[in-house]
Amino acid sequence: MRQPSYQTQTLEHPNPVARFAHRARLRTGLRLAAALAPRDGQALDFGAADGRFLHQLGRRRPDLRRLAVEPFRPLAYPFIRLRHSLAEVESASVDLLTAFEVLEHLTPAELADWIVQARRVCRPGARPAGSGAVMAGPAPPPHPGPRPPPHPPP
């Protein structure tokens, strides 16, 4: 059985609620990245999928150099530079490091290595931006005040 494309699983999801959530996260990430990246800086997106995020970031911020780290998928945008791991990225070369909904997929050992490599590739003053998926569902709303005793005293 063929696995659905990344786009079908995210931005073009058949479920309208899932599709809305993915598109909203993309818009929020783009606003955040566009605001955090310094002028003429380099933005690196870890887990870039097909490169759509960096492509759209470049439309908002054409001054940025864009670099994707994506080990599993080819980029749909050939003008974005591609690396297959952070180890391939030059030290102290990144001004903005994004990792949206990807770090939760790493094993503890991979995450520890990611932290070491992320620190290595970021310039002093580099800005991180990221998010993690809500994997346990929504949290219940907080109770508005003190809870009454479960039963009145006898």
Side-chain angles (χ1 to χ4, degrees), residues 33 45 48 56 73-74 76 93 95 97 102 109-110 119 121-122 128 142 146:
D45 186 28
Q56 291 187 9
R73 297 178 178 88
S93 64
D95 299 294
L97 174 62
V102 66
E110 290 169 333
R119 292 183 72 179
V121 302
C122 286

Side-chain angles (χ1 to χ4, degrees), residues 115-149:
I115 292 168
V116 169
Q117 291 295 332
R119 292 183 72 179
R120 181 187 62 78
V121 302
C122 286
R123 292 175 203 225
R127 307 296 297 266
S131 66
V134 178
M135 305 197 56
H143 192 274
R147 293 184 188 268

Side-chain angles (χ1 to χ4, degrees), residues 8-154:
T8 302
Q9 295 177 56
T10 58
L11 299 170
E12 303 302 330
H13 199 286
N15 179 315
V17 175
R19 186 174 54 245
F20 171 81
H22 283 288
R23 290 177 180 181
R25 284 191 292 269
L26 175 65
R27 285 189 304 272
T28 300
L30 286 168
R31 278 194 306 272
L32 181 64
L36 288 175
R39 182 119 187 99
D40 298 319
Q42 175 159 265
L44 182 151
D45 186 28
F46 180 80
D50 70 353
R52 182 180 292 201
F53 176 81
L54 286 172
H55 169 69
Q56 291 187 9
L57 180 59
R59 293 174 84 184
R60 290 176 183 225
R61 291 284 309 275
D63 60 295
L64 294 177
R65 290 169 284 122
R66 292 160 290 153
L67 176 62
V69 173
E70 176 51 61
F72 303 112
R73 297 178 178 88
L75 295 181
Y77 306 92
F79 48 86
I80 296 172
R81 291 175 300 130
L82 173 66
R83 301 293 181 269
H84 295 288
S85 76
L86 279 177
E88 298 174 22
V89 177
E90 181 182 341
S91 295
S93 64
V94 173
D95 299 294
L96 173 70
L97 174 62
T98 61
F100 292 106
E101 306 212 12
V102 66
L103 297 180
E104 68 271 16
H105 299 287
L106 301 180
T107 67
E110 290 169 333
L111 183 58
D113 183 60
W114 184 88
I115 292 168
V116 169
Q117 291 295 332
R119 292 183 72 179
R120 181 187 62 78
V121 302
C122 286
R123 292 175 203 225
R127 307 296 297 266
S131 66
V134 178
M135 305 197 56
H143 192 274
R147 293 184 188 268
H151 301 288

